[in-house]
Amino acid sequence: MGVLITVLAVFAVAGLVLLALSVRNVQQYEKGVVFRFGRLLPDIRGPGLRVIRPIGDRMRKVSVQTEVLGIPPQGSITADNVTLTVDAVVYFKVIDPVKALVNVRDYPAAVSQIAQTSLRSVIGRADLDTLLSDRDHINAELKKVMDAPTEEPWGLRIERVEIKDIALPESMMRSMSKQAEAERERRARVIAADGEFEASQRLSDAAATMADTPGALQLRLLQTVVDVSAEKNSTLVMPFPVEMLRFFEHQSREADGAADGWVTHRKIRRPAVSAAVKIPEPAVPAPVVPAPAVPAPADASAARSLSGERVGSGGKRVGSRAEVAQGRRDNWPAQTDAEEPRNG
């Protein structure tokens, strides 16, 4: 009796062990793939408690959650020959557990390697401006390039690819900052010019309105006086019309013209010559015998006196230059009138 109890106990323990070996718990986010003596069974076990043969069957659980894989920084050269370093992140999930286990070994590592190569390939075909300004286009192209070798053969779906950071050289960053600064300055100047243009139009409209209503101009002038007196009480503002300044300027110009044209604009009246009067031919002058040269005084300073007078060749004293010039100006009209009948 004791032996029978012992045998039953052994069988019970063995049954419990076999039951424990044959029961598998599959989570909701997992799929179970069963291999029997190395051969794949077609049935994929869903979530819950699943029973397999304790001897000969092996179950592999595959997560169908979306996995996040970071791509290490990759040095690449863009299409416009700019060297930079780019790192990205890949979001993928398993859509076919059988292909993910059978067709590829360690599929996360495979996805990482193909993401690195695809990233370098896409960066090499794009220029720097597109890479910096159009990230969505680059991400979509990366996803398209990675989907081809992973979805159909490996049973993996690339859901999203994002470029995290782009490291540029220091010289390129300085050049880009200068370009951005110049662009901002250009925009500021354009905005300031537009503001000046609009302000000039408004001022032109205001000037036209004030020209039609003289009282508005006077009110504006009084308002300016009030504003100035409110800010600086020690300042006295005296409005002065601009028309008066223009009047004084016109009068000064006329006075200067009359003073300059006293001699130059004076008209000399001469008798008209009749056409019937025969004009005698000019007489040939007799040859002039040069007078004997008078030797200059030994002392050059003796030729001038202290009063500014000069001594002529015959020893006759001549007045100063100012007196001679004054006499010529005083006698000029008389000499001209005296020479008119002679010329006629």
Side-chain angles (χ1 to χ4, degrees):
M1 188 67 181
V3 176
L4 181 61
I5 294 174
T6 302
V7 172
L8 291 178
V10 170
F11 276 106
V13 171
L16 292 176
V17 171
L18 292 177
L19 182 62
L21 293 175
S22 61
V23 176
R24 295 288 185 273
N25 183 25
V26 181
Q27 302 293 333
Q28 182 66 36
Y29 54 86
E30 293 177 339
K31 296 291 184 181
V33 180
V34 179
F35 293 91
R36 179 169 296 170
F37 295 106
R39 185 170 61 87
L40 176 68
L41 296 182
D43 296 336
I44 297 177
R45 309 302 171 89
L49 288 176
R50 299 301 175 183
V51 179
I52 60 174
R53 293 181 181 181
I55 300 174
D57 287 356
R58 298 289 300 273
M59 178 180 286
R60 295 285 304 274
K61 301 177 184 179
V62 179
S63 176
V64 293
Q65 291 178 317
T66 299
E67 298 187 20
V68 182
L69 181 64
I71 303 176
Q74 303 295 315
S76 180
I77 300 177
T78 61
D80 50 354
N81 298 325
V82 177
T83 304
L84 45 80
T85 304
V86 183
D87 56 347
V89 59
V90 180
Y91 301 89
F92 70 96
K93 68 180 299 184
V94 178
I95 58 176
D96 193 344
V98 175
K99 292 181 179 180
L101 290 176
V102 176
N103 296 348
V104 60
R105 179 181 180 182
D106 193 7
Y107 59 88
V111 172
S112 176
Q113 293 297 321
I114 197 171
Q116 296 178 24
T117 56
S118 300
L119 181 61
R120 291 183 178 182
S121 176
V122 172
I123 295 300
R125 293 196 301 265
D127 54 359
L128 182 60
D129 293 337
T130 304
L131 188 62
L132 294 176
S133 61
D134 196 0
R135 292 282 187 90
D136 295 337
H137 176 71
I138 300 298
N139 296 335
E141 189 172 357
L142 274 172
K143 180 179 180 299
K144 181 179 179 181
V145 171
M146 294 179 61
D147 272 339
T150 56
E151 184 171 1
E152 184 63 27
W154 298 348
L156 305 175
R157 177 178 297 170
I158 305 299
E159 295 184 344
R160 192 178 184 88
V161 182
E162 292 286 343
I163 296 178
K164 293 194 300 182
D165 187 23
I166 299 176
L168 295 174
E170 190 69 22
S171 59
M172 181 60 63
M173 294 178 64
R174 288 196 299 265
S175 300
M176 294 176 63
S177 63
K178 291 180 181 179
Q179 180 182 2
E181 183 179 358
E183 180 66 22
R184 293 292 180 181
E185 185 176 358
R186 183 188 68 83
R187 292 181 183 178
R189 290 183 177 180
V190 170
I191 293 173
D194 292 340
E196 292 290 339
F197 178 72
E198 293 180 2
S200 63
Q201 288 183 341
R202 297 297 182 269
L203 289 175
S204 178
D205 297 340
T209 304
M210 290 183 179
D212 295 338
T213 307
L217 182 61
Q218 185 67 21
L219 291 176
R220 182 58 181 168
L221 181 60
L222 295 176
Q223 182 65 33
T224 304
V225 172
V226 171
D227 294 340
V228 173
S229 61
E231 293 180 358
K232 298 180 180 180
N233 297 328
S234 61
T235 303
L236 179 60
V237 179
M238 296 296 294
F240 196 81
V242 182
E243 288 77 7
M244 187 173 295
L245 295 177
R246 294 177 180 174
F247 174 75
F248 288 148
E249 182 181 2
H250 181 67
Q251 292 295 330
S252 63
R253 288 182 180 177
E254 290 184 354
D256 294 342
D260 295 340
W262 182 78
V263 176
T264 57
H265 293 81
R266 183 172 181 178
K267 296 183 179 179
I268 301 175
R269 296 183 179 179
R270 296 184 179 181
V273 180
S274 176
V277 178
K278 183 177 181 180
I279 301 174
E281 296 180 0
V284 179
V288 179
V289 179
V294 179
D299 190 2
S301 62
R304 295 185 181 180
S305 62
L306 296 177
S307 62
E309 297 179 350
R310 293 180 297 173
V311 179
S313 60
K316 186 179 178 180
R317 292 182 178 274
V318 183
S320 62
R321 293 181 180 179
E323 294 176 358
V324 174
Q326 184 66 29
R328 288 181 179 177
R329 285 195 296 269
D330 295 339
N331 299 329
W332 180 78
Q335 293 176 3
T336 305
D337 296 337
E339 291 175 0
E340 287 181 356
R342 188 182 304 173
N343 295 334

